Amino acid sequence: MSTPRTKWMQEVIQNVLDIDSTTISECFESHADNISLWLKSGSNESRVYFYETETDKGIEYSTESPAISRSCVYFLRNSAKAINLKTRSDNTVLTGNISKSALIPVLKSCITDVYEPII
């Protein structure tokens, strides 16, 4: 599975997760059917996740929100139509990342600044 779209997805993952391209390619190959199906016929606002494993520099794929312990890259469909695989990137697939270490301070700040004063 090597299209301009999947190459772009792999580059995004490599830039965010700092995992070697071979490991990412292997993950895409082992989940090629699921990723292809998601790109071609996934529903609007559906997501796929790629996240670092707790141990070695591994990567996991999921269609369900994972319980992350390190960092995670997600791709969100912004269209109910089939995704153009010949285009690297457009507004039909959005991407973002989240990490546990970045999320905890945000939640703490929100609780302290928003909810604590009204309790």
Side-chain angles (χ1 to χ4, degrees):
M1 164 187 241
S2 183
T3 66
R5 179 70 64 165
T6 57
K7 286 180 184 177
W8 168 75
M9 291 172 70
Q10 291 177 42
E11 289 169 9
V12 169
I13 294 166
Q14 185 175 17
N15 289 335
V16 173
L17 300 184
D18 191 33
I19 294 175
D20 68 271
S21 60
T22 304
T23 302
I24 296 168
S25 294
E26 289 171 358
C27 180
F28 268 71
E29 287 302 320
S30 65
H31 298 286
D33 292 340
N34 292 333
I35 295 169
S36 180
L37 181 64
W38 180 77
L39 287 168
K40 292 178 182 174
S41 61
S43 61
N44 189 31
E45 298 185 8
S46 63
R47 294 167 292 283
V48 293
Y49 304 89
F50 296 88
Y51 56 97
E52 291 177 294
T53 58
E54 288 189 43
T55 55
D56 57 12
K57 286 277 191 176
I59 183 172
E60 292 290 330
Y61 160 86
S62 178
T63 57
E64 301 293 324
S65 298
I68 58 172
S69 61
R70 298 180 78 185
S71 294
C72 175
V73 175
Y74 60 88
F75 295 92
L76 169 69
R77 286 183 60 104
N78 197 29
S79 174
K81 298 178 183 177
I83 303 299
N84 183 354
L85 301 180
K86 294 179 182 175
T87 303
R88 283 179 52 85
S89 172
D90 57 20
N91 67 347
T92 59
V93 175
L94 307 177
T95 186
N97 63 73
I98 191 164
S99 68
K100 188 173 184 178
S101 62
L103 186 58
I104 291 173
V106 171
L107 292 173
K108 182 180 178 183
S109 174
C110 180
I111 290 168
T112 303
D113 296 341
V114 177
Y115 294 105
E116 191 174 61
I118 61 174
I119 294 179

